[in-house]
């Protein structure tokens, strides 16, 4: 098989089955363990719109199902954005958090939680709207600043400004914390990242954004390969460098905004999962883009499972688990790479 | 004329690297950009490839270069840079295949012909056997040949080559230059290359542009430009005598 070959249908089915299996396990396990049989019946009732009466079935359909779906979709989204930014900026350390977009989104969401700020007309998705808006504004600010400093919009300028901006946004968040004393607990818990209490409309929003962004990024897979090899090489082979860069950054920042608004900052997923997936399928985005979706979903599903069960009935924030696991895995991967080189 | 460069200057901040340089390239030409370190040869090449901002006028087939869309520009000219750092573990084959990008963007390709093109290019540079190997494991010379293969796959009529033989051993230097020489002899093709080795420039070039400190010290047929007077002026030493002494040491 050639290194850049696409996945076969069988391989796609295999990956989908893996994600479904992980979903089933995560639906079944928790503070209360539920048999797969009961889950099947509850889901059957849900999809046939029959009445759902038993408390167990209600837990499955209205508590666990949205949460587990949100976890899988968030994992896929974060990992996809990591892949896109690492390819685009040719930097394995790039992701939403290095670029400042996550911090911007967090700031928007924190403002909503603390003061009830809202985007007019977005009452239903107040926090989401604010996070997307702030993610987008952050990106505009970062890019226009980068553009003023360096007309070519070169990669290291973007990353440097992103890091500075992250610090700035973090300082503003601390300021909000200091002012809004009565909401400190809510804010702190949210910033640690949690997908508990996600409802189905949010899941739907996440799913729609993820599908759209996946399609855009998969269509740009050759361009992402060119960027990952080198930006000036991309320019000489005829890639419209500026247009591609803007498209990727915009769609990725919108997706990060949605994800952060729903689940808080869940660290390291966008950094570690692409690394692991790249070890298995190689750096070609023909395979990396789809594989990172499945890899991200499975990784976050298991991280969430651990968060829910390890000190049950107490629940840990999922962001704590991913950061703990992610940091260790990352150091290990890095160490392996340095030793191999 | 394929390429016309008129009064082109390139500045980084307040420092002017290339000053008011003009020249032209016709089909069949192999123009050698010659001059000491810091003469502005690579910068001039990058300006033509639109990798460095410049003033003045550059036209390709009579069209101002800034009017060409990136993909269209890539079907007309291609650049081989001196150093090609690669980001991830892409294989040689994946790098070469990217040369198809500009033509694929125009929907004018068939998979089979493309595969043949990639194989042919990789065989030309002697990398076919190791095509699956990761670019991060290659030597400087192998990497340079991988990107040369990409350029052959891209196959534009005008090649801009920045020190195409800088990382190659002696054998591959000659092989590569002969390969390029054969490539150029097909109709409508031309090469502009930066060349440090004056004897190789003399052997393969048809025209020369002599640069020093960003200023052109002569442009025209190679024999007229690379004569003793010009070279001694620019390099500040008796080039011919030096070359002769080198040769005598061999005998």
């Amino acid at each position: 098989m050639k290194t850049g070959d696409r996945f076969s249908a069988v391989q796609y089915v295999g990956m989908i089955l893996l994600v479904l299996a992980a979903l089933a396990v995560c639906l079944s396990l928790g503070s209360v363990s539920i048999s797969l049989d009961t889950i099947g019946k509850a889901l059957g009732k849900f999809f046939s719109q029959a009445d759902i009466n038993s408390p167990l079935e209600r837990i499955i359909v209205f508590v666990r199902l949205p949460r587990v779906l949100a976890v899988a979709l968030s994992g896929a989204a974060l990992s996809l954005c990591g892949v896109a930014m690492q390819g685009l900026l040719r930097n394995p350390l790039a992701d939403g958090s290095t670029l400042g977009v996550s911090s911007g989104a967090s700031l928007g969401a924190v403002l909503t939680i603390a003061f009830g700020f809202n985007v007019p007309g977005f009452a239903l998705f107040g926090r989401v709207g604010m996070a997307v808006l702030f993610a987008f504004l952050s990106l505009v600010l970062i890019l226009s600043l980068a553009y003023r400093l360096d007309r070519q919009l070169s990669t290291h300028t973007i990353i440097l400004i992103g890091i500075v901006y992250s610090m700035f946004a973090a300082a503003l968040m601390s300021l909000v914390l200091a002012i809004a004393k009565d909401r400190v607990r809510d804010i702190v818990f949210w910033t640690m990242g949690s997908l508990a209490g996600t409802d189905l409309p949010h899941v739907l929003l996440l799913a729609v954004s993820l599908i759209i962004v996946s399609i855009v990024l998969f269509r740009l897979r050759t361009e992402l390969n060119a960027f990952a090899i080198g930006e000036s090489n991309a320019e000489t082979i005829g890639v419209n460098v500026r247009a591609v860069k803007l498209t990727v950054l915009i769609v990725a920042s919108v997706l990060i905004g949605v994800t952060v608004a729903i689940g808080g900052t869940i660290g390291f997923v966008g950094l570690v999962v692409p690394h692991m997936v790249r070890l298995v399928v190689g750096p070609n985005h023909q395979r990396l883009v789809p594989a990172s979706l499945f890899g991200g979903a499975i990784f976050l599903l298991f991280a969430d499972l651990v968060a829910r069960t390890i000190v049950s009935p107490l629940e840990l924030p999922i962001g704590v688990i991913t950061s703990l696991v992610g940091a260790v895995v990352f150091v290990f991967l890095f160490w392996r790479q340095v030793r191999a080189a | 004329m394929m390429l016309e460069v008129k009064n082109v200057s390139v500045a980084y901040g307040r420092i002017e690297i290339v000053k008011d340089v003009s020249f032209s390239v016709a089909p069949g030409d192999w123009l050698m950009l010659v001059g000491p370190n810091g003469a502005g040869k690579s910068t001039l090449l990058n300006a033509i490839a639109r990798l460095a901002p410049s003033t003045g006028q550059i036209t390709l087939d009579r069209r101002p270069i800034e009017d060409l869309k990136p993909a269209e520009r890539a079907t007309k000219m291609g650049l081989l840079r001196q150093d090609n750092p690669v980001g991830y573990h892409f294989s040689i084959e994946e790098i070469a295949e990217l040369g198809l990008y500009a033509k694929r963007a125009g929907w004018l390709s068939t998979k089979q012909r493309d595969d043949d093109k990639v194989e042919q290019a990789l065989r030309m540079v002697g990398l076919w056997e190791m095509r699956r190997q990761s670019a991060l494991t290659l030597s400087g010379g192998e990497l340079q040949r991988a990107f040369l293969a990409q350029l052959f796959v891209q196959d534009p009529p005008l090649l801009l080559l920045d020190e195409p033989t800088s990382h190659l051993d002696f054998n591959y230097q000659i092989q590569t230059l002969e390969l390029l020489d054969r490539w150029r002899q097909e109709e409508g093709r031309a090469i502009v290359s930066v060349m440090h080795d004056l004897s190789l420039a003399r052997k393969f070039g048809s025209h020369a542009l002599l640069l020093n400190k960003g200023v052109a010290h002569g442009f025209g047929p190679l024999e007229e430009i690379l004569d003793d007077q010009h070279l001694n002026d620019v390099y500040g030493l008796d080039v011919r005598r030096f070359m002769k002494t080198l040769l005598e040491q061999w005998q």
Side-chain angles (χ1 to χ4, degrees):
Chain A
M1 181 179 3
K2 277 201 298 184
T3 33
D5 270 349
R6 65 193 63 178
F7 286 123
S8 64
V10 177
Q11 283 168 313
Y12 272 114
V13 171
M15 287 189 285
I16 290 169
L17 287 179
L18 270 179
V19 172
L20 288 179
L23 277 172
V25 170
C26 292
L27 274 177
S28 147
L29 298 180
S31 48
V32 190
S33 283
I34 304 170
S35 72
L36 289 177
D37 192 41
T38 319
I39 294 172
K41 273 184 200 148
L43 290 184
K45 278 187 185 167
F46 175 63
F47 286 116
S48 61
Q49 298 189 328
D51 285 338
I52 299 167
N53 301 321
S54 84
L56 217 51
E57 287 175 352
R58 293 190 73 84
I59 290 182
I60 295 170
V61 170
F62 296 113
V63 180
R64 254 183 223 176
L65 181 66
R67 173 182 184 143
V68 164
L69 287 177
V71 167
L73 292 167
S74 300
L78 290 171
S79 144
L80 177 70
C81 291
V83 159
M85 290 185 175
Q86 285 156 28
L88 185 78
L89 302 175
R90 212 190 73 176
N91 189 326
L93 292 178
D95 85 330
S97 44
T98 8
L99 211 76
V101 180
S102 299
S103 314
S106 299
L107 181 61
V110 164
L111 284 174
T112 310
I113 298 172
F115 307 120
F117 287 169
N118 248 322
V119 186
F122 274 92
L124 176 64
F125 295 124
R127 202 172 65 200
V128 180
M130 279 287 278
V132 172
L133 183 73
F134 268 67
F136 192 72
L137 288 180
S138 307
L139 186 80
V140 171
L141 191 71
I142 292 163
L143 286 185
S144 48
L145 209 61
Y147 184 71
R148 295 212 63 160
L149 286 173
D150 164 12
R151 301 246 143 184
Q152 312 284 316
L153 276 184
S154 71
T155 305
H156 48 262
T157 315
I158 295 180
I159 290 184
L160 206 65
I161 292 178
I163 290 172
V164 172
Y165 181 82
S166 292
M167 293 175 181
F168 179 70
L172 286 182
M173 268 189 277
S174 304
L175 191 68
V176 173
L177 270 177
I179 296 170
K181 285 205 181 72
D182 51 330
R183 307 302 306 267
V184 165
R185 208 188 150 274
D186 284 350
I187 295 174
V188 169
F189 195 77
W190 180 83
T191 48
M192 286 191 289
S194 168
L195 287 154
T198 314
D199 53 7
L200 281 171
H202 280 120
V203 171
L204 203 62
L205 176 72
L206 197 52
V208 171
S209 332
L210 179 64
I211 289 169
I212 294 172
V213 173
S214 304
I215 291 172
V216 172
L217 291 177
F218 189 68
R219 287 189 62 111
L220 289 173
R221 59 196 182 278
T222 314
E223 285 83 353
L224 283 173
N225 283 342
F227 269 98
I229 284 174
E231 189 176 328
S232 42
N233 187 242
E235 178 110 41
T236 54
I237 61 166
V239 174
N240 191 338
V241 168
R242 285 257 299 276
V244 172
K245 205 182 269 190
L246 284 177
T247 311
V248 172
L249 288 176
I250 288 170
V251 296
S253 70
V254 169
L255 187 55
I256 285 173
V258 174
T259 314
V260 166
I262 292 172
T265 37
I266 303 176
F268 275 97
V269 180
L271 221 47
V272 170
V273 176
H275 269 264
M276 296 200 290
V277 174
R278 222 178 265 121
L279 283 180
V280 181
V281 305
N284 193 314
H285 290 80
Q286 171 89 42
R287 296 152 65 92
L288 190 55
V289 167
S292 72
L293 289 172
F294 296 111
I298 292 172
F299 176 83
L300 205 58
L301 278 172
F302 281 109
D304 186 54
L305 188 62
V306 172
R308 282 190 290 136
T309 52
I310 196 164
V311 284
S312 175
L314 208 70
E315 187 180 318
L316 297 176
I318 188 171
V320 174
I321 303 290
T322 58
S323 295
L324 283 176
V325 177
V328 175
V329 172
F330 196 74
V331 169
F332 172 73
L333 289 174
F334 195 63
W335 185 67
R336 246 187 59 146
Q337 257 176 19
V338 171
R339 268 185 30 140
Chain B
M1 273 317 132
M2 285 177 89
L3 172 70
E4 281 213 72
V5 173
K6 265 191 203 153
N7 309 109
V8 164
S9 300
V10 185
Y12 290 132
R14 273 189 222 147
I15 305 164
E16 229 178 9
I17 312 282
V18 174
K19 296 165 197 157
D20 201 25
V21 171
S22 301
F23 64 88
S24 59
V25 177
D29 287 358
W30 187 335
L31 174 68
M32 296 289 180
L33 302 183
V34 177
N37 287 335
K41 308 180 292 289
S42 300
T43 306
L44 181 57
L45 216 53
N46 282 335
I48 300 171
R50 302 280 291 155
L51 291 175
S54 62
T55 59
Q57 199 183 37
I58 303 172
T59 56
L60 208 58
D61 292 332
R62 290 168 209 280
R63 286 175 62 192
I65 205 157
E66 59 272 15
D67 289 357
L68 298 172
K69 291 206 176 82
E72 197 182 358
R73 195 169 67 221
T75 59
K76 290 178 183 290
M77 71 179 176
L79 170 76
L80 179 69
R81 272 160 310 123
Q82 214 179 121
D83 292 298
N84 295 284
V86 173
Y88 299 91
H89 279 283
F90 284 92
S91 67
I92 293 177
E93 192 174 35
E94 286 169 322
I95 290 177
E97 261 177 2
L98 275 178
L100 296 166
Y101 179 81
K103 293 205 171 91
R104 281 209 173 139
W107 306 104
L108 281 172
S109 75
T110 62
K111 185 86 175 68
Q112 185 54 46
R113 225 179 42 219
D114 291 349
D115 284 349
D116 291 349
K117 225 171 176 177
V118 173
E119 176 172 349
Q120 197 189 358
L122 285 171
R123 286 192 188 283
M124 270 157 85
V125 301
L127 289 176
W128 174 249
E129 303 301 329
M130 51 193 290
R131 62 189 179 280
R132 305 276 153 82
Q133 203 170 314
S134 157
L136 293 183
T137 63
L138 301 181
S139 74
E142 287 163 340
L143 200 57
Q144 199 168 27
R145 276 150 55 207
F147 280 94
L148 186 63
Q150 187 192 67
L151 198 55
F152 281 134
V153 173
Q154 189 181 337
D155 198 26
L158 176 66
L159 299 188
L160 308 173
L161 311 172
D162 192 356
E163 290 273 352
T165 56
S166 61
H167 295 286
L168 303 183
D169 62 48
F170 193 65
N171 177 25
Y172 266 116
Q173 280 188 20
I174 305 298
Q175 269 192 34
T176 304
L177 290 171
E178 282 175 346
L179 185 67
L180 288 164
D181 200 36
R182 279 198 302 280
W183 177 90
R184 172 185 64 116
Q185 278 159 19
E186 278 190 38
E187 207 187 319
R189 291 172 166 179
I191 299 177
V192 179
S193 67
V194 172
M195 207 61 144
H196 268 300
D197 190 317
L198 291 173
S199 44
L200 288 177
R202 202 179 270 280
K203 179 166 164 47
F204 290 98
S206 70
H207 294 69
L209 173 70
L210 191 57
L211 282 169
N212 191 19
K213 293 180 182 149
V215 178
H217 279 251
F219 161 69
L222 191 106
E223 309 79 52
E224 289 172 27
I225 303 304
L226 296 190
D227 63 359
D228 293 352
Q229 173 92 54
H230 275 107
L231 289 178
N232 298 356
D233 281 358
V234 164
Y235 287 90
L237 93 167
D238 190 339
V239 175
R240 181 197 289 268
R241 210 180 66 204
F242 178 72
M243 290 290 192
K244 265 192 168 163
T245 349
L246 268 183
L247 205 62
E248 276 159 17
Q249 279 171 350
W250 271 99
Q251 292 155 355

